[in-house]
Amino acid sequence: MPHAFDEMTGADGAVRPAYETLQQWLSSVPRDVLDHRRKEAEYIFRRIGITFAVYGEQNSQERLIPFDIVPRIITQPEWTRLAKGLEQRVKALNMYIRDIYSTREILRAGKLPEEMVFQNPAFRPEMNGRRVPHDIHVHIAGIDIVRTDPDTFYVLEDNARTPSGVSYMLENREIMLRLFPELFSIHKVAPVENYADNLLATLRSLSPHGGHEPNVVILTPGIYNSAYYEHSFLADKLGVELVEGRDLFVKDETVFMRTTEGPKRVDVIYRRLDDDFLDPLVFRPDSVLGVPGLMSAYHAGNVTLTNAVGTGVADDKAVYSYMPEIIRFYLHEEPLLPNVPTWRCREADHLKYVLEHLPDLVVKEVHGSGGYGMLVGPSADRAQIEKFREKLIADPNNFIAQPTLALSTCPTLVEQGIAPRHVDLRPFILSGSDKVRIVPGGLTRVAMKEGSLVVNSSQGGGTKDTWVLDA
Amino acid sequence: MLSRTADNLYWLTRYVERADCLARILDVSQRLAYTPVTYGGSTNEWGSAVLTAGCAESFIARYGPLEEATEENVVFYLAFEAENPSSIRNCFEVARTNARSVRTALTSEMWDVINSAWIELRNFPNRPLDREELANFLAFVKETSLRFDGATFRTMLRNDGYWFARSGAQIERADNTARILDVKYHVLLPEKERVGGPLDYFQWASILRSVSALTAFHWVYRDSVKPWLVADLLILNRQMPRSLAACYDALARNLDDIASGYGRQGPSQRLAQGMLARLTNRSVDDIFQAGLHEFITDFISDNNKLAAAITDQYLT
Amino acid sequence: MRVRIRHEITQSFEPDTRNAAVTLHLSPRSHEGQFIQRWVLDVDCDSRLYGHEDAFGNLCHTFSVDGPADTLTVIAQGEVETRDTTGVVRGTVERLPPEVYLRQTELTHPGEAIHAFVEELDLKARPDPLSRLHALMVAIHEAVREGEGPAVAEPLTAEAALEAKLACAAGISPLFTSAARLAGLPARHVSGYFALDEVGTTRHWAEAYAPEFGWIAFDSGKNLCATENHVRLSVGLDAVSVAPPRAMGLRQQEVVSALEPRRQAQNQAQS
């Protein structure tokens, strides 16, 4: 594997200017003080109940995501560049989705194969020909970014369905402010706490009827969902009701919630529930998490769902590989943030290449998430590679492959002290009817294991506070 | 507020209250079981603990007849048994699940009590405890409910959420007091064959203890323990916070607060006020004359009706 | 042929259900092979029915039962003039390109049995899509016998129907659509009525797309392309998406009578 770029020490070992103050501070604070604060942070996280559930684990139903107390630093010019690229990307995603569910110009122009849309499990025929309020589909996007050198940020993945993690971004900052007030006095860190405010403003701007005081709610699958903490956290910060499907019902193509004072009309639903479960009268008939009749109210234009139904058609890993084309097609601009080069195993010559280079590549399922079902060639043994090869040959359409990137590293507090660990970044982009809002930074995920490139929390990844430094 | 939120608050406090009551029942049973038989101790004290806890049927299905109930299996069943939906462990489990579902409707202090108790509960081994461990455990349960009540009282906004939470606790408390009376009513009845003696004193005192009212009794009546006074204290005396009258006094007020907040009275207000009136306009002599047992049976059934009315009116 | 139809459905709910939303796919549309003379929907609750067109071009209605209710009865009735088009379905409302109907669903998902079945048929050897589809229909007719079945209860999966060698019409149609899609031919599920002497249930068949003809209706259970006896109600990716009523409830029961008015009069005179 190529040598990784460290965001603190750079390529040549000299501390980069943005990190100078932090580095001095780190080297002046005794190790046991750091350890002590780390334990304190963990204690606070557990006390306030910031936990997540891991699928497939019987006994440890609730776990903590490891929190690393060393912040990750991004400079203002770096961030400005990133923010522009993110806005461009989300704009293109929205235009693509609108097109796919209306006239499908992009297919007529032959820019991507039809089957990529029509055979895509995330394509919702039910959305065909439907306008959504304000013509925006992806109101809340999480775009995963990785870095390989001082100047190169790649988009690794688009999350256009129900991206999570923003509660960690906010809680991480709160904890840091509590544990290390001295650090904030020597750095000018751009605040993130206005995210909740931005989100509420965005959601309210999306009300189908405009005006008035729209009733916004957050729809959760319930307390057993892995991201339940985040759902209740956001409801609390926004001051809106956290509802489950059974709290809502549809009458006269209007959504109501059951309250102690009788039914109350609902205008905007920030749903954290997958399409499949939203309405058992349209999608999975066995879903008890959704709201029967919801889609009829949605189609009648009486309620806004954020994100819209069917946005998954834009964010799987096969469509990802066409994103540069998609940006050029709709915006007539060059992508500001490059894609990681991607081989689509559905194409014969790509598959051939991938099969020949398995030990060097990262192979992912087109619809996979959470770091499951992927092969990291360089760190896999022979048997794993061979097993994966069989899976790949059996169903090539289901996979894409990418070169193993030397993800950048950041200083991280581990058993042995401060050591470099690989990181990525998930900024959150809010698209309202009035404007696009992005709070500076996002969620930095860190692979706590030495050398590991998998940052997903379900695979032992941790998080860090992310600082965008004002100059 | 969301009906489900109100429902969760209501059940959260009910389960905390239930756990507290179970702890008291176990406390008192243990004390009675160690009292020599000549001083009123009895061999089937553990059986009556199961009856009081209201889970006789499921207990018998698992361990056999109540007469053969032992300290070990009763304590385990009421405190820890995973299959007993009302074991203390499950009460805490359900209370926390409810709390988690309405995390945003609780103050952080309330959440902290419930969540910490739930975490601490895991430190108690899942096996029959020795006496010291059990004493620690019961103290922990009682302390949790005290802390929770305190946190609720001190930190929660006085709005519909608070009133639903309090209503749940009061309904549960009234039910528990009534069930203690239901199981023990016979020792309070004037019997011709038996003259009140030292034996009965321990039985009466144990009833008072199970609602933490032995000291209160003396303060209120300045008299030795007499069965009709015990009944008076637990049923009609509004000074006694666990009496049926005190519970209904609070319930009627809470429900009225809800109704005036929403600007609408309903069936649950009418039921609660009706029951309070019946508890107020009656003497303990009237109750004994009409039949203590019938009175208690009716009360339990009416209390359940009120619970159903609250559910129907607000919680669904 | 004139067909008079009466379709009565009883949907049971959990006791005292309130605010139950219901979607009905119970309104046939006219096309070259059928003309809707008259059609009325009637529900036994006081609610307004909201009509709209679904993703697949069907007419549907949504409403809610305020309750508390234990059951809901829906009656659809009317008269349809049909004519034989040798199975070719023209003039339908099409909102999606045929390629969308290559999507498999949970019900049609082909397992080992269907894969083997399609492979053995060697459809590629046939000269054109139409002959392939005919071959498929005949093969399915031979492989799976049509039996009695509750048409509106849980439909069988295509794979299960093939393995059981016995299925009701609602189970055979997913098998046809599954196999056709596997062979690269767009196919969809059709629910409708079959004019018959006695009372029965909803009829299910399939439509497949052959570029030179358009959509063609195949009833594998009867081993024929749709005739003037077939009245087309709605289409979708599988039987679930066109279930006449969709609601979160318990059982559904239905009675269908679809008959020529003349023969209906005769029957009544005899009885």
Side-chain angles (χ1 to χ4, degrees):
Chain A
M1 200 189 307
H3 184 69
F5 163 69
D6 187 81
E7 297 189 8
M8 180 160 84
T9 53
D12 50 1
V15 175
R16 298 173 64 238
Y19 273 89
E20 267 168 17
T21 319
L22 181 67
Q23 200 272 337
Q24 281 164 16
W25 182 85
L26 276 176
S27 54
S28 70
V29 180
R31 171 70 200 266
D32 57 333
V33 171
L34 291 180
D35 281 337
H36 180 73
R37 303 243 180 127
R38 186 181 56 80
K39 284 199 188 100
E40 215 175 310
E42 196 184 312
Y43 175 76
I44 297 171
F45 271 121
R46 201 172 281 283
R47 270 311 263 273
I48 48 185
I50 311 185
T51 55
F52 74 109
V54 179
Y55 295 112
E57 278 189 27
Q58 279 279 307
N59 293 320
S60 55
Q61 276 191 345
E62 291 173 27
R63 274 197 350 205
L64 275 185
I65 294 188
F67 170 67
D68 181 60
I69 56 172
V70 185
R72 184 230 196 129
I73 295 178
I74 295 170
T75 65
Q76 187 63 51
E78 286 168 349
W79 174 252
T80 308
R81 231 180 79 207
L82 268 176
K84 274 194 189 130
L86 293 168
E87 192 167 341
Q88 179 197 49
R89 187 120 179 155
V90 171
K91 207 166 156 193
L93 283 171
N94 269 310
M95 293 178 80
Y96 171 69
I97 297 167
R98 193 193 329 172
D99 185 30
I100 288 304
Y101 291 116
S102 54
T103 50
R104 294 185 277 273
E105 301 294 339
I106 196 162
L107 297 186
R108 286 183 213 199
K111 296 289 178 190
L112 72 169
E114 291 199 345
E115 68 198 79
M116 221 77 140
V117 172
F118 299 132
Q119 298 316 303
N120 190 326
F123 172 74
R124 299 288 166 192
E126 292 79 6
M127 290 303 291
N128 184 54
R130 308 285 185 181
R131 290 285 291 270
V132 299
H134 309 284
D135 279 337
I136 306 168
H137 294 255
V138 185
H139 315 98
I140 300 135
I143 308 285
D144 292 349
I145 302 284
V146 295
R147 184 176 198 179
T148 51
D149 61 57
D151 302 314
T152 317
F153 293 89
Y154 286 110
V155 174
L156 186 65
E157 196 173 305
D158 304 292
N159 296 280
R161 302 177 206 205
T162 52
S164 61
V166 80
S167 59
Y168 295 100
M169 172 183 92
L170 296 169
E171 290 285 33
N172 288 353
R173 176 62 54 84
E174 285 303 311
I175 297 256
M176 288 300 285
L177 282 165
R178 217 158 127 178
L179 294 181
F180 301 103
E182 69 270 30
L183 270 180
F184 288 87
S185 67
I186 50 176
H187 289 93
K188 278 193 207 156
V189 184
V192 292
E193 65 186 48
N194 52 336
Y195 177 82
D197 220 49
N198 283 350
L199 177 58
L200 186 60
T202 302
L203 293 173
R204 292 173 70 116
S205 79
L206 295 166
S207 174
H209 349 273
H212 317 306
E213 285 277 295
N215 183 16
V216 176
V217 299
I218 298 181
L219 174 62
T220 172
I223 61 168
Y224 298 108
N225 184 270
S226 62
Y228 178 75
Y229 172 77
E230 176 157 308
H231 308 160
S232 72
F233 173 89
L234 287 174
D236 203 22
K237 293 284 172 208
L238 267 61
V240 303
E241 291 288 357
L242 179 64
V243 303
E244 294 180 17
R246 57 195 159 121
D247 297 322
L248 303 180
F249 67 91
V250 175
K251 182 176 162 58
D252 295 329
E253 304 199 299
T254 305
V255 183
F256 294 93
M257 63 183 189
R258 297 175 216 269
T259 79
T260 50
E261 293 176 87
K264 186 172 177 207
R265 189 189 164 123
V266 173
D267 305 297
V268 179
I269 302 178
Y270 175 18
R271 47 94 175 208
R272 296 293 296 258
L273 187 63
D274 292 343
D275 288 355
D276 263 337
F277 297 94
L278 273 181
D279 181 352
L281 305 192
V282 175
F283 303 115
R284 286 181 68 130
D286 54 350
S287 166
V288 291
L289 301 174
V291 185
L294 179 58
M295 288 299 282
S296 73
Y298 185 45
H299 288 329
N302 291 333
V303 69
T304 302
L305 296 178
T306 65
N307 290 343
V309 176
T311 54
V313 74
D315 79 352
D316 71 49
K317 297 184 179 73
V319 175
Y320 162 88
S321 64
Y322 290 96
M323 273 312 286
E325 270 307 302
I326 289 173
I327 291 171
R328 285 182 203 110
F329 182 78
Y330 294 109
L331 301 174
H332 312 291
E333 293 170 8
E334 276 306 302
L336 298 173
L337 292 170
N339 256 24
V340 179
T342 301
W343 290 275
R344 296 183 278 264
C345 300
R346 63 190 311 126
E347 292 171 24
D349 49 335
H350 285 207
L351 177 65
K352 184 164 174 285
Y353 178 88
V354 171
L355 289 172
E356 281 164 10
H357 296 84
L358 273 182
D360 307 323
L361 299 174
V362 177
V363 191
K364 298 174 180 173
E365 281 186 29
V366 169
H367 290 283
S369 70
Y372 291 105
M374 65 189 269
L375 174 81
V376 182
S379 58
D381 61 32
R382 226 200 168 84
Q384 285 169 321
I385 289 180
E386 288 316 307
K387 215 173 134 203
F388 210 89
R389 184 187 303 276
E390 282 171 28
K391 271 169 67 178
L392 188 52
I393 293 171
D395 189 11
N397 286 3
N398 196 28
F399 295 93
I400 55 110
Q402 293 169 340
T404 313
L405 293 182
L407 301 193
S408 62
T409 56
C410 279
T412 303
L413 181 64
V414 293
E415 285 297 316
Q416 306 84 343
I418 304 279
R421 290 290 181 268
H422 295 291
V423 294
D424 80 351
L425 176 68
R426 175 179 289 182
F428 297 90
I429 299 92
L430 301 174
S431 304
S433 69
D434 48 351
K435 61 176 177 182
V436 173
R437 298 171 172 89
I438 315 178
V439 299
L443 178 67
T444 290
R445 299 187 296 178
V446 51
M448 301 299 284
K449 269 184 269 169
E450 187 172 3
S452 169
L453 293 170
V454 185
V455 296
N456 303 82
S457 53
S458 47
Q459 313 264 320
T463 67
K464 281 169 167 294
D465 192 13
T466 311
W467 292 2
V468 172
L469 284 193
D470 275 349
Chain B
M1 74 194 305
L2 276 185
S3 296
R4 183 174 50 83
T5 307
D7 188 60
N8 282 318
L9 285 169
Y10 171 88
W11 282 103
L12 164 60
T13 56
R14 277 197 80 157
Y15 275 100
V16 172
E17 186 68 28
R18 189 173 295 178
D20 179 79
C21 177
L22 287 167
R24 277 168 216 288
I25 291 171
L26 287 174
D27 227 3
V28 171
S29 305
Q30 202 176 27
R31 199 183 166 102
L32 263 187
Y34 300 154
T35 309
V37 177
T38 44
Y39 291 92
S42 70
T43 42
N44 67 349
E45 209 36 62
W46 293 109
S48 83
V50 173
L51 276 176
T52 314
C55 54
E57 216 170 289
S58 57
F59 180 87
I60 291 167
R62 195 173 166 84
Y63 292 105
L66 287 184
E67 296 77 49
E68 292 163 28
T70 64
E71 172 174 6
E72 187 173 310
N73 55 31
V74 171
V75 169
F76 187 74
Y77 192 75
L78 296 188
F80 297 108
E81 176 65 61
E83 282 164 36
N84 173 9
S86 284
S87 67
I88 293 175
R89 179 185 292 278
N90 277 335
C91 283
F92 279 171
E93 204 54 65
V94 178
R96 180 171 181 273
T97 306
N98 276 293
R100 235 183 128 214
S101 315
V102 289
R103 181 69 185 77
T104 54
L106 301 181
T107 61
S108 57
E109 288 84 355
M110 292 166 76
W111 164 251
D112 198 40
V113 175
I114 291 296
N115 196 40
S116 312
W118 181 78
I119 292 169
E120 198 173 334
L121 191 62
R122 298 175 163 197
N123 296 334
F124 290 96
N126 200 15
R127 56 162 168 80
L129 304 181
D130 65 34
R131 300 226 161 110
E132 194 187 333
E133 285 173 326
L134 181 62
N136 286 339
F137 175 72
L138 297 178
F140 151 73
V141 175
K142 284 188 273 185
E143 195 173 313
T144 298
S145 70
L146 282 177
R147 286 180 59 210
F148 184 71
D149 268 7
T152 310
F153 181 74
R154 294 181 63 115
T155 62
M156 209 175 170
L157 283 178
R158 295 307 194 258
N159 58 16
D160 44 357
Y162 179 76
W163 297 317
F164 282 114
R166 294 311 301 156
S167 300
Q170 300 297 351
I171 288 261
E172 183 69 27
R173 183 174 290 183
D175 183 61
N176 289 328
T177 301
R179 273 190 291 114
I180 289 171
L181 285 167
D182 192 32
V183 174
K184 294 283 186 176
Y185 80 95
H186 51 89
V187 303
L188 296 177
L189 291 180
E191 283 184 54
K192 289 196 180 103
E193 306 88 70
R194 234 173 39 174
V195 187
L199 255 84
D200 291 317
Y201 170 79
F202 288 104
Q203 286 286 353
W204 299 330
S206 78
I207 295 178
L208 292 172
R209 260 201 202 93
S210 61
V211 291
S212 307
L214 188 53
T215 314
F217 181 92
H218 294 295
W219 279 104
V220 172
Y221 297 104
R222 303 191 181 279
D223 197 348
S224 57
V225 179
K226 301 211 167 59
W228 57 90
L229 293 182
V230 172
D232 184 69
L233 184 68
L234 263 54
I235 297 173
L236 299 178
N237 198 310
R238 289 207 219 179
Q239 296 175 53
M240 168 62 206
R242 284 172 191 275
S243 74
L244 306 184
C247 291
Y248 267 78
D249 198 37
L251 260 174
R253 271 176 218 280
N254 286 330
L255 290 169
D256 192 58
D257 282 336
I258 293 173
S260 53
Y262 294 165
R264 207 179 303 165
Q265 299 269 333
S268 45
Q269 280 78 16
R270 285 194 290 278
L271 275 174
Q273 286 156 13
M275 283 179 75
L276 179 61
R278 267 185 285 152
L279 289 165
T280 311
N281 306 329
R282 206 177 278 215
S283 73
V284 74
D285 288 343
D286 298 341
I287 292 175
F288 271 86
Q289 249 161 34
L292 178 60
H293 190 228
E294 289 72 16
F295 174 82
I296 293 167
T297 316
D298 286 351
F299 177 87
I300 292 176
S301 137
D302 288 344
N303 193 47
N304 287 338
K305 271 183 208 146
L306 175 60
I310 294 174
T311 301
D312 194 53
Q313 193 176 341
Y314 295 113
L315 308 183
T316 51
Chain C
M1 180 172 126
R2 176 67 63 110
V3 186
R4 181 176 290 169
I5 294 160
R6 186 177 189 281
H7 186 181
E8 178 171 339
I9 301 168
T10 309
Q11 165 77 55
S12 318
F13 296 111
E14 300 276 355
D16 296 330
T17 290
R18 289 183 211 183
N19 303 118
V22 182
T23 297
L24 300 177
H25 279 90
L26 266 179
S27 303
R29 297 185 98 161
S30 300
H31 60 84
E32 281 187 16
Q34 71 185 29
F35 176 70
I36 313 302
Q37 286 274 356
R38 182 173 66 77
W39 196 262
V40 201
L41 284 181
D42 197 16
V43 297
D44 70 342
C45 63
D46 292 330
S47 28
R48 185 170 156 198
L49 268 60
Y50 293 85
H52 47 97
E53 186 186 287
D54 77 1
F56 306 100
N58 305 305
L59 282 184
C60 54
H61 294 84
T62 310
F63 63 99
S64 85
V65 182
D66 295 346
D70 302 347
T71 59
L72 163 74
T73 304
V74 182
I75 299 168
Q77 51 191 338
E79 280 185 27
V80 180
E81 184 68 34
T82 63
R83 116 188 133 77
D84 196 278
T85 58
T86 62
V88 179
V89 189
R90 283 204 200 93
T92 51
V93 177
E94 300 295 342
R95 304 289 181 214
L96 291 161
E99 289 74 27
V100 169
Y101 297 95
L102 286 168
R103 296 164 71 86
Q104 300 284 13
T105 70
E106 225 165 283
L107 278 186
T108 69
H109 178 75
E112 274 174 35
I114 295 180
H115 272 107
F117 178 75
V118 171
E119 211 155 290
E120 196 171 315
L121 275 178
D122 193 21
L123 295 171
K124 290 254 157 50
R126 314 261 165 181
D128 55 84
L130 185 60
S131 63
R132 286 176 201 156
L133 290 166
H134 270 286
L136 183 61
M137 174 177 78
V138 173
I140 288 176
H141 182 73
E142 283 165 5
V144 181
R145 189 164 58 82
E146 182 180 337
E148 291 280 308
V152 285
E154 286 279 289
L156 223 52
T157 65
E159 187 78 6
L162 182 57
E163 279 169 359
K165 298 187 169 59
L166 171 75
C168 59
I172 293 177
S173 160
L175 175 56
F176 181 91
T177 49
S178 172
R181 289 168 188 170
L182 192 58
L185 302 159
R188 62 193 181 192
H189 187 98
V190 187
S191 70
Y193 306 107
F194 188 74
L196 202 69
D197 282 348
E198 66 243 53
V199 294
T201 55
T202 320
R203 181 73 197 166
H204 298 266
W205 62 94
E207 285 175 4
Y209 189 79
E212 64 271 41
F213 296 96
W215 290 98
I216 304 163
F218 294 90
D219 188 334
S220 311
K222 296 191 182 299
N223 203 20
L224 44 81
C225 287
T227 63
E228 58 178 357
N229 282 316
H230 287 83
V231 178
R232 184 180 187 271
L233 186 53
S234 42
V235 299
L237 288 173
D238 63 20
V240 169
S241 65
V242 295
R246 282 184 77 167
M248 295 302 277
L250 305 170
R251 274 172 317 127
Q252 279 178 14
Q253 284 175 307
E254 63 163 5
V255 181
V256 173
S257 74
L259 208 59
E260 278 191 82
R262 185 168 41 82
R263 288 169 60 185
Q264 194 172 27
Q266 276 173 11
N267 283 359
Q268 275 161 3
Q270 283 163 6
S271 59

